Amino acid sequence: MLKKSPAPDSPSVTISRAGTLRLRDGHVWVYRSDIISAEGIGPGALVSVKDERGKFLGTALYSSSSQIAIRMIAREPVDNLTALLRERTRTTVAYRKQLVSDTDAYRVIFSEADFLPGLIVDRYNDLLSFQVLTQAMDAEPVRQAVISELTEQLKPAAIAERVDPRIRELEQLPARKSGLVQGEKSSAIFTMNGVRFHYDALEGQKTGAFLDQRENYAAAAKYMRGDALDAFCYQGGFALHLAPHCSSVIGVDSSRPALETADQNAALNNREIEWIEANAFDLLRDYADNKRQFDSIVLDPPAFAKSKRTLDTAMRGYKELNLRALKMLRPGGTLVTCSCSYHVTSEAFMEVVAQAARDAGKTLRILENRAQAKDHPILLAVPETAYLKCLILSVS
Ligand code: SAH
């Protein structure tokens, strides 16, 4: 009789029953508290994961410092990691070709959700930007293998690495600056849903733009009319999509550099938009005091709940913002309200918006209950991959 897979050569990590059950449920992380033994295993190593009885559960990438000690990479033994990562990269590029249309800017690789844990890659026209989140993805020859496969598949003019210093510190990786790792070009113009944007590979927040909202911009534009307010507008993603349909558009953000790019984006698209540098909470309060009215409001604040601990404060923030916006909406108006905090579930977010509506004396109808764009895939068994909520509501 044929025996199942041979015992893999990579060093083994033994995990607890709780960790084993979590993997059985389809999750891909094992927390440090569920590691029983990981003796002599170096940072970023490829490891075989075993249960307490020594049964092989799959192959993973190990982090010696993160609370997420193990990120699964395959159900089978892996003897050639770089070949596997190259193949996965080709598959994600092909998956985007099926899913993504009307844009030359999209997420090419979304970490776990693309079976490449610890790696994020975005495309902005002919530029690629990547971010490494783990020891394993930072190590050679892994890093170079992925870069070279991306180059072969997408033929970018340049590739930039975007460094998040906090993540590198948590992973105990040496400090490094953002910069080009290939090519010379660092700026481009990209187009999504027919709207054009400036991109600078070495500036801005996240990897440069909020690509996860791409499909929501187009959806919001279907409903929004009249006088519009885009609160937390960054470089004008929603505002620019609303401008062709609305009689006036105001964009508010606290970041001056973001608004400078927003203004250049408006010029690029021949749109008149008023940009205001302010704390959106204060501005909404002033507008409400002065009885300002709008027909369409977008609320897309930064992640208020960065951890479970800050959840209560975050929920108060969402309530307050939505309450203020709802009070300013004319009957028949539209509210687009978003939350990008993973810790706030879709149900909790709906509940807080419903509370705000009760307090404002308004009735809400759901036009669309949306999430992140499809190029930021969601793994059904890994709730952490679903983070963006976007409700489009008709207000009366
Ligand atoms: N809607 C944007 C993304 C928003 S990200 C898009 O689609 O591109 C959140 C934005 O909120 C960031 O641009 C950040 O600068 C801004 N911000 C953070 N705190 C703020 C505050 N208190 N008032 C106004 N803007 C704020």
Side-chain angles (χ1 to χ4, degrees):
M1 204 171 95
L2 274 177
K3 276 227 161 156
K4 243 187 118 197
S5 49
D9 294 337
S10 33
S12 301
V13 173
T14 306
I15 66 170
S16 69
R17 188 169 153 70
T20 305
L21 290 176
R22 202 173 155 78
L23 294 186
R24 292 252 164 85
D25 283 345
H27 209 290
V28 290
W29 292 349
V30 178
Y31 290 105
R32 188 151 308 283
S33 52
D34 284 317
I35 302 283
I36 291 186
S37 88
E39 242 167 85
I41 295 187
L46 184 72
V47 294
S48 298
V49 183
K50 296 185 173 164
D51 71 9
E52 283 173 290
R53 286 196 237 135
K55 184 167 175 261
F56 176 74
L57 301 171
T59 309
L61 300 172
Y62 181 74
S63 167
S64 60
S65 66
S66 169
Q67 279 314 304
I68 306 168
I70 275 181
R71 295 176 196 242
M72 299 305 292
I73 185 105
R75 292 198 175 94
E76 309 78 28
V78 170
D79 42 35
N80 187 340
L81 179 62
T82 53
L84 177 71
L85 298 182
R86 277 178 171 270
E87 186 200 316
R88 296 258 168 100
T89 303
R90 285 195 292 277
T91 311
T92 67
V93 170
Y95 192 56
R96 298 308 184 268
K97 286 198 177 129
Q98 285 170 25
L99 285 183
V100 174
S101 55
D102 275 341
T103 186
D104 57 14
Y106 53 89
R107 179 147 294 184
V108 183
I109 296 178
F110 185 35
S111 201
E112 277 78 5
D114 282 309
F115 319 115
L116 287 159
L119 185 67
I120 287 183
V121 180
D122 287 341
R123 174 179 173 185
Y124 294 92
N125 195 349
D126 58 354
L127 301 183
L128 290 183
S129 109
F130 75 96
Q131 193 167 53
V132 158
L133 311 174
T134 56
Q135 294 168 347
M137 284 294 173
D138 201 55
E140 296 299 359
V142 160
R143 197 181 135 95
Q144 205 43 53
V146 176
I147 291 176
S148 111
E149 192 60 46
L150 285 166
T151 305
E152 242 168 71
Q153 295 297 316
L154 296 165
K155 313 221 166 10
I159 303 184
E161 177 171 14
R162 305 280 302 209
V163 171
D164 182 335
R166 203 183 53 92
I167 289 174
R168 288 192 75 84
E169 204 182 308
L170 284 174
E171 283 285 300
Q172 292 173 0
L173 289 167
R176 183 185 289 152
K177 286 217 163 76
S178 293
L180 292 177
V181 297
Q182 193 169 295
E184 310 263 302
K185 194 176 169 209
S186 66
S187 65
I189 287 174
F190 65 90
T191 310
M192 54 166 75
N193 311 308
V195 180
R196 302 171 78 210
F197 293 85
H198 288 280
Y199 174 65
D200 189 321
L202 306 175
E203 302 286 335
Q205 304 175 16
K206 281 199 129 185
T207 67
F210 291 84
L211 299 175
D212 48 6
Q213 291 283 26
R214 177 175 50 86
E215 294 170 353
N216 298 333
Y217 296 148
K222 282 193 289 184
Y223 307 99
M224 300 196 112
R225 300 290 177 265
D227 298 319
L229 174 68
D230 177 5
F232 307 91
C233 64
Y234 187 57
Q235 297 174 347
F238 279 101
L240 288 156
H241 279 80
L242 303 186
H245 310 282
C246 293
S247 36
S248 73
V249 183
I250 296 177
V252 185
D253 203 279
S254 57
S255 158
R256 171 161 284 272
L259 292 179
E260 279 164 5
T261 306
D263 200 38
Q264 288 163 13
N265 288 338
L268 191 61
N269 293 280
N270 289 319
R271 299 288 171 207
E272 283 280 329
I273 296 173
E274 184 185 346
W275 306 108
I276 301 179
E277 182 185 347
N279 179 329
F281 283 89
D282 297 344
L283 190 86
L284 287 178
R285 191 189 315 110
D286 289 352
Y287 278 0
D289 291 349
N290 291 314
K291 308 259 176 302
R292 281 284 295 254
Q293 297 266 284
F294 291 91
D295 302 290
S296 303
I297 298 182
V298 177
L299 298 175
D300 185 19
F304 290 148
K306 291 245 156 70
S307 69
K308 272 194 197 147
R309 260 183 315 116
T310 53
L311 200 54
D312 282 353
T313 328
M315 293 321 273
R316 279 198 294 280
Y318 287 120
K319 166 93 182 282
E320 190 61 35
L321 267 182
N322 283 279
L323 177 62
R324 285 178 195 177
L326 284 167
K327 283 186 174 163
M328 279 190 286
L329 277 164
R330 295 191 180 108
T334 307
L335 175 67
V336 171
T337 182
C338 311
S339 161
C340 57
S341 306
Y342 150 70
H343 297 284
V344 178
T345 63
S346 179
E347 294 72 28
F349 186 55
M350 275 206 213
E351 177 54 32
V352 86
V353 177
Q355 281 168 14
R358 277 199 292 276
D359 290 4
K362 304 273 172 137
T363 303
L364 300 181
R365 279 187 288 192
I366 299 179
L367 292 166
E368 298 195 25
N369 179 3
R370 307 182 57 87
Q372 64 228 39
K374 286 186 281 292
D375 45 316
H376 296 59
I378 296 174
L379 286 181
L380 195 54
V382 183
E384 290 84 352
T385 55
Y387 65 96
L388 183 63
K389 286 128 321 251
C390 173
L391 289 170
I392 306 183
L393 303 161
S394 167
V395 184
S396 44

